[in-house]
Amino acid sequence: MGSPSSSSDIQYAIDLAMKESADSQLFDELPVIQHGDPITDRRSTFQAHLVTPIVTTEQVKRVLRKLYENKKIANATHNISAYRICGESSDSMIQDCDDDGETAAGGRLLHLLQILDARNVLVVVSRWYGGILLGPDRFKHINNAARNVLQYAGFIETKESKSSKEKTGTGKTKNWKKGK
């Protein structure tokens, strides 16, 4: 028969369990979802949703499930998504995209994130089809919806923000709509 554990061993086990629980909660909590302003053209509507910081692919899946709980988003004709997650070493990047039936749209959205060097971010653009084919204009609207929400979140510097940084010496951006 083994001797009973010392109180220091028990305390160590409790401390370790609490740390693991805190670490787990950090990754279990969903980041804030920001919703951009809708863009409407010929009865089709495009709206971007931005989530940051995203640190695991499991978070991406959970955030997408959370977005689809919103019936309006779930009923969109297409929910185009792209994400980029900075790996443990600064050299590695996990990235992926989904067209959701809008051919080549996910790749274009991911390309935008790559050009901006956006890290630890997920962008979803919902499109509600209005019955009129938009041709290549649909890609312009998807890109603009994503750019707008990224700009409001501070991922893109505008001429105004560059000049205010030069004047004030700060790099802070204003908060924007944070959704539920």
Side-chain angles (χ1 to χ4, degrees):
M1 236 180 184
S3 64
S5 298
S6 71
S7 63
S8 63
D9 290 342
I10 294 171
Q11 186 59 46
Y12 174 77
I14 291 171
D15 290 345
L16 184 61
M18 289 177 69
K19 182 186 179 316
E20 288 174 357
S21 175
D23 289 346
S24 172
Q25 285 178 349
L26 175 68
F27 292 111
D28 287 345
E29 291 180 18
L30 288 178
V32 174
I33 300 171
Q34 300 177 32
H35 305 280
D37 293 328
I39 297 172
T40 302
D41 179 16
R42 292 171 267 177
R43 298 190 327 225
S44 281
T45 302
F46 301 81
Q47 184 178 25
H49 318 282
L50 174 73
V51 185
T52 189
I54 292 288
V55 293
T56 66
T57 55
E58 185 57 37
Q59 263 187 324
V60 170
K61 293 173 189 172
R62 290 181 47 241
V63 167
L64 289 172
R65 281 194 301 268
K66 180 68 176 173
L67 275 171
Y68 294 145
E69 286 176 10
N70 179 322
K71 288 183 182 182
K72 182 179 177 186
I73 295 171
N75 289 330
T77 311
H78 305 286
N79 283 299
I80 303 120
S81 62
Y83 66 87
R84 296 185 78 218
I85 300 170
C86 191
E88 289 183 23
S89 73
S90 61
D91 296 347
S92 66
M93 187 71 65
I94 301 167
Q95 56 187 15
D96 199 6
C97 59
D98 180 24
D99 295 330
D100 193 29
E102 186 72 271
T103 306
R108 290 173 182 236
L109 192 56
L110 180 58
H111 183 68
L112 174 66
L113 296 178
Q114 291 168 336
I115 289 170
L116 297 173
D117 195 29
R119 295 165 183 248
N120 299 333
V121 64
L122 164 67
V123 177
V124 178
V125 178
S126 300
R127 178 191 183 187
W128 294 271
Y129 178 62
I132 300 170
L133 295 175
L134 300 181
D137 284 349
R138 70 189 188 273
F139 298 117
K140 177 180 73 173
H141 298 314
I142 292 165
N143 189 301
N144 285 338
R147 285 183 70 81
N148 289 343
V149 78
L150 286 162
Q151 181 177 340
Y152 288 128
F155 282 89
I156 301 174
E157 284 190 18
T158 63
K159 291 179 185 176
E160 296 159 0
S161 68
K162 285 181 185 177
S163 65
S164 69
K165 279 185 194 178
E166 290 168 3
K167 291 177 186 173
T168 64
T170 66
K172 295 184 179 181
T173 58
K174 65 178 183 175
N175 281 340
W176 193 60
K177 291 186 203 176
K178 295 195 176 183
K180 295 176 184 177

